[in-house]
Amino acid sequence: LTEDRPDGCLYRFVPEGPSAPYAGRLQALAIGGTSADTGAWARGRRAEHHWIDLERPAPEEDVLRLEARSRGAAVIRRGEGACLADGALYVCATSGGPIGAGQILRLEDGPDGGELEVLAASTDRAELDMPDNVAISPGGLLVFVEDGPGHDCLRAVDARGEVTTLARNAASEGELTGVCFSPDGRALFLNMQEDGLTVVVEGDFIALVG
């Protein structure tokens, strides 16, 4: 689970088992022995991570991240869209990165932890500007849409962290949201939030992966 807060955390729920899917433990991601702030991390930074149990997973007030950080959880700056592919979790940190304009995080996880990598981090808003929703095509293309000031874009990022711009919202300065693919990967859908529109982009996204 992500948390759209500047000082938010990243969580996972571990159920007791198939017969009790709604009973279990809520955990927060931690790096080292202190509450590490991943917000300033640049592209390519890697770190081992582990998970810590939270004693009050459903507080009445909006204080879960404060409890998590007091127990050593890492800060993920405005975690929003997340998706799974090939055993890895990809997360958009909308206001992370050296200039506060966003990061794409890649998490390889296991029962006791794994490795967190900054796959991409903005150093230029013209190339990456506050990533929000993220999706992966059936062919393996990782795409994201933005929630930044000005005209937001639809972009793709490869395994090396290189970002490519696929389209731009020239109609308005509204946020792009809800990016997803058709099952065959030939159609990409996204929403233009302020305009109240859902659009489809058809193309050979598999060729883009290659």
Side-chain angles (χ1 to χ4, degrees):
L1 302 86
T2 58
E3 188 172 37
D4 186 7
R5 294 288 188 273
D7 58 345
C9 299
L10 182 67
Y11 306 92
R12 73 175 185 181
F13 178 72
V14 183
E16 290 183 359
S19 62
Y22 303 111
R25 294 170 292 148
L26 183 68
Q27 300 178 322
L29 181 139
I31 298 168
T34 61
S35 183
D37 187 347
T38 65
W41 290 11
R43 170 182 161 186
R45 177 84 176 261
R46 298 170 182 260
E48 297 295 318
H49 74 267
H50 61 281
W51 298 93
I52 54 176
D53 291 338
L54 300 180
E55 297 178 352
R56 295 195 309 136
E60 293 183 1
E61 298 180 345
D62 183 19
V63 296
L64 182 62
R65 67 192 184 282
L66 303 182
E67 177 194 342
R69 288 169 51 207
S70 73
R71 298 176 63 83
V75 173
I76 306 294
R77 293 198 175 274
R78 286 192 61 194
E80 294 203 67
C83 63
L84 283 165
D86 298 326
L89 176 70
Y90 295 87
V91 176
C92 289
T94 300
S95 61
I99 64 171
Q103 298 161 307
I104 307 292
L105 308 177
R106 184 177 188 272
L107 188 75
E108 291 188 350
D109 198 24
D112 300 317
E115 184 177 70
L116 175 71
E117 174 190 3
V118 181
L119 178 63
S122 179
T123 57
D124 184 347
R125 286 183 178 270
E127 298 178 359
L128 196 167
D129 190 16
M130 304 188 76
D132 193 326
N133 293 175
V134 63
I136 294 183
S137 75
L141 179 68
L142 180 68
V143 300
F144 63 90
V145 289
E146 299 175 327
D147 181 17
H151 297 272
D152 291 324
C153 292
L154 165 70
R155 307 189 200 259
V157 58
D158 65 19
R160 298 167 299 173
E162 297 289 342
V163 175
T164 301
T165 301
L166 303 180
R168 173 176 172 267
N169 179 11
S172 73
E173 295 188 0
E175 174 184 353
L176 299 177
T177 68
V179 62
C180 62
F181 286 92
S182 61
D184 63 4
R186 302 284 306 181
L188 179 151
F189 299 89
L190 57 83
N191 300 314
M192 299 169 65
Q193 184 166 290
E194 298 298 326
D195 308 272
L197 297 174
T198 298
V199 300
V200 58
V201 181
E202 296 180 296
D204 189 358
F205 296 107
I206 294 177
L208 285 172
V209 178

